[in-house]
Amino acid sequence: MTNFEEFKILHSGNEPLLLANVWNVQSALQYEKLGFKAIGTSSAAIAAELGYEDGEKMPFEEYLFMIKRIKSAVQIPLTVDLEGGYGKNAEEIISNIIQLHEIGAAGINIEDSVVVGSGRKILDSADFTLKLKRITENLKSRNISVFINVRSDVFLLNLPNPVEESKQRIKQYETAGINGIFLPCITNENHINEITSFTKLPVNVMCMPDLLNFEKLKELGVKRISMGNFVHSYLYNQLEKTTQAIIEQNSFAPIF
Protein backbone atom coordinates (compact mmCIF):
# COMPACT_ATOMS: atom_id res chain seq x y z
CA MET A 1 0.00 0.00 0.00
CA THR A 2 1.34 3.44 -0.93
CA ASN A 3 1.64 6.38 1.48
CA PHE A 4 -1.24 8.06 -0.37
CA GLU A 5 -3.51 5.01 -0.13
CA GLU A 6 -2.79 4.53 3.56
CA PHE A 7 -3.41 8.20 4.28
CA LYS A 8 -6.61 8.31 2.22
CA ILE A 9 -8.05 5.31 4.09
CA LEU A 10 -7.52 7.18 7.38
CA HIS A 11 -10.13 9.71 6.19
CA SER A 12 -12.85 7.12 5.68
CA GLY A 13 -13.00 5.28 8.98
CA ASN A 14 -15.57 5.54 11.76
CA GLU A 15 -13.16 7.53 13.91
CA PRO A 16 -11.95 10.98 12.77
CA LEU A 17 -8.25 11.18 11.97
CA LEU A 18 -6.60 13.17 14.75
CA LEU A 19 -3.67 14.75 12.94
CA ALA A 20 -0.64 15.80 14.97
CA ASN A 21 1.01 18.89 13.51
CA VAL A 22 4.78 18.80 13.93
CA TRP A 23 7.67 21.21 13.63
CA ASN A 24 10.80 19.07 13.91
CA VAL A 25 12.00 15.48 14.10
CA GLN A 26 11.64 15.24 17.87
CA SER A 27 7.98 16.29 17.85
CA ALA A 28 7.27 13.88 14.99
CA LEU A 29 8.90 10.98 16.84
CA GLN A 30 7.01 11.83 20.02
CA TYR A 31 3.65 11.75 18.25
CA GLU A 32 4.52 8.51 16.48
CA LYS A 33 5.47 7.00 19.86
CA LEU A 34 2.09 8.11 21.25
CA GLY A 35 0.32 6.10 18.57
CA PHE A 36 -0.81 8.79 16.16
CA LYS A 37 -1.66 7.31 12.76
CA ALA A 38 -0.45 10.31 10.73
CA ILE A 39 1.30 13.65 11.14
CA GLY A 40 1.29 16.93 9.28
CA THR A 41 3.73 19.78 9.24
CA SER A 42 2.72 23.13 10.68
CA SER A 43 4.21 25.76 8.39
CA ALA A 44 3.68 28.42 11.06
CA ALA A 45 5.53 26.38 13.69
CA ILE A 46 8.42 25.48 11.38
CA ALA A 47 8.70 29.09 10.20
CA ALA A 48 8.93 30.17 13.84
CA GLU A 49 11.59 27.52 14.52
CA LEU A 50 13.64 28.89 11.61
CA GLY A 51 13.13 32.52 12.58
CA TYR A 52 10.62 33.52 9.89
CA GLU A 53 7.14 34.97 10.01
CA ASP A 54 4.27 32.80 8.83
CA GLY A 55 2.84 33.29 5.34
CA GLU A 56 5.44 31.72 3.01
CA LYS A 57 8.18 33.98 4.36
CA MET A 58 10.60 31.05 4.76
CA PRO A 59 12.30 29.84 1.56
CA PHE A 60 10.80 26.61 0.25
CA GLU A 61 14.29 25.05 0.16
CA GLU A 62 14.64 25.48 3.93
CA TYR A 63 11.13 24.16 4.52
CA LEU A 64 11.84 21.18 2.26
CA PHE A 65 14.98 20.37 4.26
CA MET A 66 12.94 20.21 7.48
CA ILE A 67 10.26 18.11 5.79
CA LYS A 68 12.91 15.66 4.55
CA ARG A 69 14.37 15.29 8.04
CA ILE A 70 10.92 14.71 9.56
CA LYS A 71 9.87 12.19 6.90
CA SER A 72 13.12 10.25 7.20
CA ALA A 73 12.53 9.78 10.94
CA VAL A 74 9.00 8.34 11.00
CA GLN A 75 7.07 5.50 9.40
CA ILE A 76 3.55 6.95 9.62
CA PRO A 77 2.11 9.03 6.75
CA LEU A 78 3.12 12.68 6.52
CA THR A 79 1.12 15.49 4.94
CA VAL A 80 2.61 18.93 4.29
CA ASP A 81 1.11 22.33 4.99
CA LEU A 82 1.96 23.97 1.67
CA GLU A 83 0.15 27.24 2.47
CA GLY A 84 -0.58 28.88 -0.91
CA GLY A 85 1.80 26.52 -2.70
CA TYR A 86 5.15 28.36 -2.38
CA GLY A 87 4.93 29.29 -6.05
CA LYS A 88 3.83 32.20 -8.23
CA ASN A 89 1.86 29.95 -10.57
CA ALA A 90 0.48 26.43 -10.94
CA GLU A 91 3.67 25.16 -12.59
CA GLU A 92 5.85 26.17 -9.64
CA ILE A 93 3.36 24.68 -7.19
CA ILE A 94 3.29 21.42 -9.17
CA SER A 95 7.09 21.31 -9.05
CA ASN A 96 6.98 21.69 -5.25
CA ILE A 97 4.37 18.94 -4.89
CA ILE A 98 6.45 16.60 -7.05
CA GLN A 99 9.47 17.18 -4.80
CA LEU A 100 7.34 16.41 -1.75
CA HIS A 101 6.01 13.26 -3.39
CA GLU A 102 9.55 12.14 -4.18
CA ILE A 103 10.52 12.24 -0.50
CA GLY A 104 7.40 10.29 0.48
CA ALA A 105 4.83 12.90 1.50
CA ALA A 106 1.32 11.44 1.34
CA GLY A 107 -0.57 14.71 1.01
CA ILE A 108 -0.62 18.49 1.09
CA ASN A 109 -2.80 21.36 2.26
CA ILE A 110 -3.25 24.28 -0.12
CA GLU A 111 -5.06 27.51 0.82
CA ASP A 112 -7.53 29.70 -1.06
CA SER A 113 -6.26 32.87 0.57
CA VAL A 114 -2.96 34.74 0.42
CA VAL A 115 -1.05 36.98 2.80
CA VAL A 116 -1.12 40.61 1.68
CA GLY A 117 0.91 42.97 3.85
CA SER A 118 -0.12 42.32 7.43
CA GLY A 119 -3.44 40.77 6.46
CA ARG A 120 -4.91 37.95 4.42
CA LYS A 121 -7.11 38.07 1.31
CA ILE A 122 -9.45 35.40 -0.06
CA LEU A 123 -8.85 34.45 -3.69
CA ASP A 124 -11.49 34.43 -6.40
CA SER A 125 -13.07 30.97 -6.21
CA ALA A 126 -13.28 30.45 -9.98
CA ASP A 127 -9.63 31.37 -10.50
CA PHE A 128 -8.54 29.18 -7.61
CA THR A 129 -10.57 26.26 -8.99
CA LEU A 130 -8.80 26.59 -12.33
CA LYS A 131 -5.47 26.50 -10.53
CA LEU A 132 -6.53 23.39 -8.63
CA LYS A 133 -7.57 21.70 -11.88
CA ARG A 134 -4.21 22.44 -13.48
CA ILE A 135 -2.47 20.96 -10.46
CA THR A 136 -4.57 17.80 -10.16
CA GLU A 137 -4.63 17.12 -13.92
CA ASN A 138 -0.87 17.55 -14.19
CA LEU A 139 -0.23 15.21 -11.27
CA LYS A 140 -2.63 12.65 -12.74
CA SER A 141 -0.83 12.79 -16.09
CA ARG A 142 2.39 11.94 -14.25
CA ASN A 143 0.69 9.13 -12.30
CA ILE A 144 1.44 10.95 -9.03
CA SER A 145 -1.07 10.40 -6.22
CA VAL A 146 -1.07 12.99 -3.43
CA PHE A 147 -3.94 13.72 -1.03
CA ILE A 148 -4.98 17.28 -1.90
CA ASN A 149 -6.67 18.88 1.11
CA VAL A 150 -7.98 22.34 0.23
CA ARG A 151 -8.00 24.86 3.06
CA SER A 152 -10.78 27.37 2.54
CA ASP A 153 -10.40 30.42 4.77
CA VAL A 154 -13.97 31.70 4.76
CA PHE A 155 -14.44 31.17 8.50
CA LEU A 156 -10.88 32.16 9.36
CA LEU A 157 -11.43 35.52 7.63
CA ASN A 158 -14.90 35.88 9.13
CA LEU A 159 -16.49 36.51 5.74
CA PRO A 160 -20.24 37.28 5.48
CA ASN A 161 -22.58 34.28 5.25
CA PRO A 162 -19.70 31.83 5.84
CA VAL A 163 -21.72 28.63 5.46
CA GLU A 164 -23.17 29.62 2.09
CA GLU A 165 -19.85 31.01 0.90
CA SER A 166 -18.12 27.78 1.95
CA LYS A 167 -20.70 25.67 0.15
CA GLN A 168 -20.30 27.70 -3.03
CA ARG A 169 -16.53 27.25 -2.90
CA ILE A 170 -16.67 23.56 -2.03
CA LYS A 171 -19.00 22.91 -4.95
CA GLN A 172 -16.46 24.47 -7.31
CA TYR A 173 -13.41 22.86 -5.71
CA GLU A 174 -15.00 19.41 -5.94
CA THR A 175 -14.89 19.70 -9.73
CA ALA A 176 -11.08 19.82 -9.56
CA GLY A 177 -10.77 16.28 -8.19
CA ILE A 178 -9.49 17.21 -4.75
CA ASN A 179 -9.51 14.78 -1.81
CA GLY A 180 -10.57 16.82 1.21
CA ILE A 181 -11.81 20.19 2.46
CA PHE A 182 -10.37 22.04 5.46
CA LEU A 183 -12.28 24.87 7.18
CA PRO A 184 -10.15 26.36 9.96
CA CYS A 185 -12.09 28.34 12.60
CA ILE A 186 -15.42 26.63 11.97
CA THR A 187 -16.69 25.72 15.46
CA ASN A 188 -20.49 26.09 15.50
CA GLU A 189 -22.27 22.73 15.70
CA ASN A 190 -24.95 23.66 13.17
CA HIS A 191 -22.40 25.07 10.74
CA ILE A 192 -20.28 21.92 10.90
CA ASN A 193 -23.33 19.69 10.42
CA GLU A 194 -24.47 21.71 7.42
CA ILE A 195 -21.05 21.45 5.75
CA THR A 196 -20.54 17.72 6.37
CA SER A 197 -24.06 17.06 5.07
CA PHE A 198 -23.37 19.12 1.95
CA THR A 199 -20.20 17.45 0.70
CA LYS A 200 -18.98 13.89 0.31
CA LEU A 201 -15.40 15.10 0.77
CA PRO A 202 -13.87 14.38 4.19
CA VAL A 203 -14.19 17.56 6.24
CA ASN A 204 -11.22 18.77 8.28
CA VAL A 205 -11.53 21.12 11.27
CA MET A 206 -8.83 22.70 13.42
CA CYS A 207 -8.07 23.20 17.11
CA MET A 208 -9.81 26.30 18.45
CA PRO A 209 -10.70 27.35 22.02
CA ASP A 210 -14.42 26.68 21.50
CA LEU A 211 -14.16 23.65 19.21
CA LEU A 212 -16.45 20.78 20.14
CA ASN A 213 -14.93 17.64 21.67
CA PHE A 214 -13.78 14.82 19.41
CA GLU A 215 -16.76 12.56 20.13
CA LYS A 216 -19.21 15.29 19.11
CA LEU A 217 -17.19 16.07 15.99
CA LYS A 218 -17.38 12.39 15.11
CA GLU A 219 -21.17 12.46 15.47
CA LEU A 220 -21.29 15.47 13.13
CA GLY A 221 -19.36 13.60 10.44
CA VAL A 222 -15.99 15.33 10.73
CA LYS A 223 -13.26 13.09 9.32
CA ARG A 224 -10.07 14.95 10.25
CA ILE A 225 -9.07 17.11 13.23
CA SER A 226 -5.87 19.15 13.07
CA MET A 227 -3.85 20.69 15.89
CA GLY A 228 -2.42 23.54 13.84
CA ASN A 229 0.42 25.39 15.53
CA PHE A 230 -1.39 25.62 18.87
CA VAL A 231 0.52 22.87 20.69
CA HIS A 232 3.80 24.39 19.51
CA SER A 233 2.74 27.82 20.83
CA TYR A 234 1.53 26.32 24.10
CA LEU A 235 4.85 24.57 24.72
CA TYR A 236 6.81 27.78 24.21
CA ASN A 237 4.47 29.63 26.55
CA GLN A 238 5.21 26.92 29.11
CA LEU A 239 8.93 27.34 28.45
CA GLU A 240 8.64 31.04 29.28
CA LYS A 241 6.68 30.34 32.47
CA THR A 242 9.08 27.61 33.60
CA THR A 243 12.16 29.72 32.92
CA GLN A 244 10.60 32.64 34.79
CA ALA A 245 9.98 30.32 37.75
CA ILE A 246 13.64 29.22 37.69
CA ILE A 247 14.75 32.84 37.81
CA GLU A 248 12.32 33.80 40.57
CA GLN A 249 13.18 30.79 42.74
CA ASN A 250 16.90 31.05 41.99
CA SER A 251 16.80 27.28 41.54
CA PHE A 252 16.18 24.54 38.98
CA ALA A 253 13.55 23.02 41.30
CA PRO A 254 10.64 24.01 38.94
CA ILE A 255 11.79 21.48 36.33
CA PHE A 256 12.19 18.55 38.72
Side-chain angles (χ1 to χ4, degrees):
M1 185 182 298
T2 66
N3 287 330
F4 164 76
E5 290 168 337
E6 183 179 354
F7 190 57
K8 188 176 182 180
I9 288 171
L10 291 173
H11 292 77
S12 60
N14 292 326
E15 296 294 327
L17 169 62
L18 181 59
L19 189 75
N21 290 103
V22 305
W23 54 92
N24 58 18
V25 169
Q26 189 172 9
S27 59
L29 288 171
Q30 186 66 62
Y31 284 125
E32 185 175 50
K33 179 181 177 182
L34 287 168
F36 280 76
K37 292 182 170 58
I39 56 173
T41 61
S42 165
S43 62
I46 292 178
E49 290 288 309
L50 296 176
Y52 295 102
E53 293 182 9
D54 191 23
E56 297 189 33
K57 297 296 192 296
M58 63 178 162
F60 182 70
E61 293 73 20
E62 293 188 40
Y63 190 22
L64 184 62
F65 172 79
M66 292 292 286
I67 296 165
K68 285 180 179 177
R69 297 303 307 146
I70 291 167
K71 183 65 188 78
S72 67
V74 297
Q75 300 299 313
I76 54 179
L78 167 70
T79 186
V80 174
D81 176 3
L82 201 54
E83 301 192 64
Y86 285 82
K88 297 186 291 293
N89 51 52
E91 286 68 34
E92 292 183 3
I93 296 171
I94 291 164
S95 174
N96 293 338
I97 295 173
I98 291 171
Q99 291 182 74
L100 294 171
H101 176 263
E102 288 173 346
I103 63 174
I108 64 153
N109 280 4
I110 187 165
E111 303 164 3
D112 68 359
S113 72
V114 291
V115 174
V116 179
S118 60
R120 188 174 277 274
K121 176 185 177 183
I122 198 85
L123 297 171
D124 177 82
S125 58
D127 290 344
F128 186 68
T129 301
L130 287 175
K131 181 189 286 186
L132 288 174
K133 286 181 178 178
R134 292 181 69 179
I135 292 169
T136 57
E137 288 170 2
N138 188 290
L139 294 176
K140 185 177 181 180
S141 72
R142 297 170 184 265
N143 199 31
I144 292 175
S145 296
V146 176
F147 193 100
I148 307 290
N149 196 42
V150 174
R151 192 185 102 173
S152 185
D153 286 343
V154 173
F155 284 89
L156 185 148
L157 295 174
N158 198 28
L159 297 185
N161 303 312
V163 173
E164 291 307 313
E165 177 67 21
S166 294
K167 285 178 170 182
Q168 179 265 327
R169 287 176 175 269
I170 291 168
K171 188 175 181 180
Q172 292 184 71
Y173 300 164
E174 285 175 335
T175 66
I178 64 170
N179 304 104
I181 189 74
F182 179 22
L183 295 172
C185 300
I186 187 172
T187 58
N188 179 276
E189 179 177 343
N190 292 331
H191 291 171
I192 294 171
N193 184 60
E194 197 163 347
I195 294 295
T196 57
S197 300
F198 175 77
T199 181
K200 293 182 179 179
L201 291 173
V203 174
N204 182 184
V205 300
M206 185 177 73
C207 167
M208 293 298 294
D210 51 351
L211 186 68
L212 301 161
N213 65 44
F214 301 161
E215 188 61 33
K216 187 61 181 178
L217 292 172
K218 172 186 173 181
E219 291 175 11
L220 292 172
V222 169
K223 291 299 183 181
R224 175 163 152 185
I225 307 166
S226 299
M227 294 182 178
N229 68 322
F230 291 97
V231 172
H232 176 265
S233 297
Y234 175 81
L235 291 175
Y236 275 93
N237 286 335
Q238 290 300 114
L239 173 64
E240 180 180 356
K241 291 177 182 178
T242 301
T243 304
Q244 187 62 41
I246 291 170
I247 294 169
E248 290 173 355
Q249 296 182 31
N250 202 29
S251 165
F252 286 119
I255 63 173
F256 294 104

